[in-house]
Amino acid sequence: MSNDSQASVKGEATIILSPSGSTSSEGPPLSPSTTSKPPELPDELVQAGWSKCWSRRENRPYYFNRFTNQSLWEVPVLGQHDVISDPLGLNAAPAEAGDSNHGNGQRKRRSSEEQGAGPNSVKRAKVEPTTPISPSTPGLKPWSSAPEDKPAQSATPATQSLAPAPYRPAVIYWDLDIQTNAVIREHPSANHLPPHPEIELQRAQLVTKLRQHYHELCHQREGIDPPRESFNRWLLERKTIDKGHDPLLPSDCDPIISPSMFREVMNDIPIRLSRIKYKEEARKLLFKYAEAAKKMIDSRNASPESRKVVKWNAEDTMSWLRRDHSASKEDYMDRLEHLRQQCGPHVTAVAKDSVEGICSKIYQLSAEYSRRLRHIHLTLLQEPPTEACASPQQSRLVYCYPVRLAMASPPLPRVELHFENDVACLRFRGEMVKVNRGHFSKLELLYRYSCIDDPRFERFLSRVWCLLKRYQEMFGSGANEGTGLQGALPVAVFEALHRQFGVSFECFASPLNCYFKQFSSAFPDIDGFFGSRGPFLSFSPVSGSFEANPPFCEEMMEAMVTHFEGLLDQSSEPLSFIVFVPEWRDPVTPALTRMEGSRFLRHQLSVPAYEHEYRSGGQHICNRDEMSYRAVHGTAVLFLQNNAGFVKWAPTPERLAELTKAYRPSSARPSSLSSPGPANVAPGDKDSTPKASDRTQSSVMSPGSHDNNNNNNNNDNSSSSSSSSPQDKMAAV
């Protein structure tokens, strides 16, 4: 996205820490004109705006900067703390090398400064908010100009003198300098309710309660555990059709019965079929299935014909198991497949009403929780929301810009921040969320580029807490749960996509795993402050080159294809979508079938299983050695382009060779690393390929790379800069 659609930040002071690195209870520092002594500072400090003043309260001198309103007790050091690149002062070095009373780059508070802490424990500079260059601002960059032409930004003497190196992660997985080529029609601000930590905390409690209800219903009605991460995929599938007000909980869906949840629960009836590796496991699984099918058909209201078929097949299987002890693993698996084909339709018929009841109950509880949350949320707002009048769609074309909320944000409560080694910990009412320091720095940059209503970062920590809590709610709190829904492509692939095909936008991402600073994501109400353009199914670009790595949810992938074809059919400007989906062929998914038969398909590339990697969806909190994993199934790469897009970004052999080369796993990474799952299955194992019937279960082992969703494994999004290799972006730890 071009700088014109973001708030200008160069040359303006935002947030400054007090001399001790914390909030001070003192009023504004005395003006330099009231001091009793003239400045006694080096010329370079005087030119940078520093003056020596006298504090009557503390009865000692202090130093004041007239350019930034910064005040220090110690003699200032040029380059010590840059209030532009590090507004929170998280990386400020102590002024005295021998001072041992500091931690996490901040000095210990003095006794006179421990009172009057602000909402987020920082002292705010007295600067006027700048007007962002957004589509409603006269300074908007027209579409006709090249997005790469960034105007040189002049720096004031103060910003030149206060330019230390900010905190640098050991490895960078994003490139926020790339400007967008995505063009949209100007649209009004969104009517979402602004996020609030109190509401987010209650939403988390209700989602946890809903998960527990789902677990109990599966146990009580069907005697099974809920399919792994099926609740997370239910949330994704519902949001593709939900028209309700809550950003996470579905409340207005048609149909009420979720096809995704119904299919996954039904696949685990009468028992869950796990992956097996040995002959004895296959024999045991076959016996359990026959026994469970017979027991189920006896206890349910089944037709006489169904009872006869299921009982005969189950007894025949048990008899075969008793008399044949020399069968191989393949024999047992073939017999199990035959038994499922014979008994499956009858078992499904007797369990259908019960499973539909589970789906319906969960949806009704979700709708009730959504209404309750909205009522509480409205009471927190200072003014009741007013429905914006439906204005006619603007005809002006502009480069895409982040979601703007029409409603002003209320005052937000205080969120505490502290660091544990390289992890930032944010706490609100005893609820703590964590993010590694590198991604915390990334969120700070995204917030600076995209947020226009908080130039002093007064709401930054509260909104970061809401963001992390929201994604934690969506993915669950179990070990490695939901990380596949946040997986992403490797950095080298993003670099090749940008360099060869002009890609500058991710269709399915989040502020936590995005590579570019322009992306679409699931939650516009909170993600918009960090650069999101909103859900892609509601995003209608006219021109641009896009990368799409959707969640591996069949309903969402099919909705994506419908949206892509509509956009390509309507636009005569260059428009290109490079889509990454799992190459499931047993049977093939409807989305893949539609794309392979689309008139907009220009080329299709297949990346074999175990020969490429993805980045884990938990990259913002996991260890370095858990970042990447090998994909256990092939990935299909499809180029959907209109005529103008094909002319501009044609998938030529040279470009495809560069993309294929970028997909090769890093030689520095151990070859034994593979995607996390219940068990590691050898590539040559006959049963390692997911069956069509349990695709939803095996997705745990499929490398789903969603910019923001999908897979049930840890997907890989190695994101780094597209203009340079990851090695070029590494700094000494």
Side-chain angles (χ1 to χ4, degrees), residues 2 65 115 191 201 224 262 281 291 302 385 463 639 658 719:
S2 67
N65 191 307
Q115 300 176 357
N191 290 321
L201 183 59
I224 61 172
F262 179 85
E281 292 177 351
E291 186 180 44
R463 286 170 174 170
F639 293 78
E658 288 295 323
S719 348

Side-chain angles (χ1 to χ4, degrees), residues 18 23 91 139 141 175 214 308 370 374 478 501-502 506 508 516 521-522 524 533 538 557 619 633 638 691 707 723:
S18 66
T23 303
N91 311 308
K141 177 187 284 188
D175 189 345
Y214 179 47
K308 178 180 177 181
S370 174
R374 183 169 178 83
F501 301 99
E506 296 167 75
F508 300 90
F516 306 109
S521 65
R533 275 55 172 170
S538 304
M557 288 192 289
Q619 59 183 277
H633 60 60
L638 301 101
K691 302 294 182 186
D707 313 2
S723 56

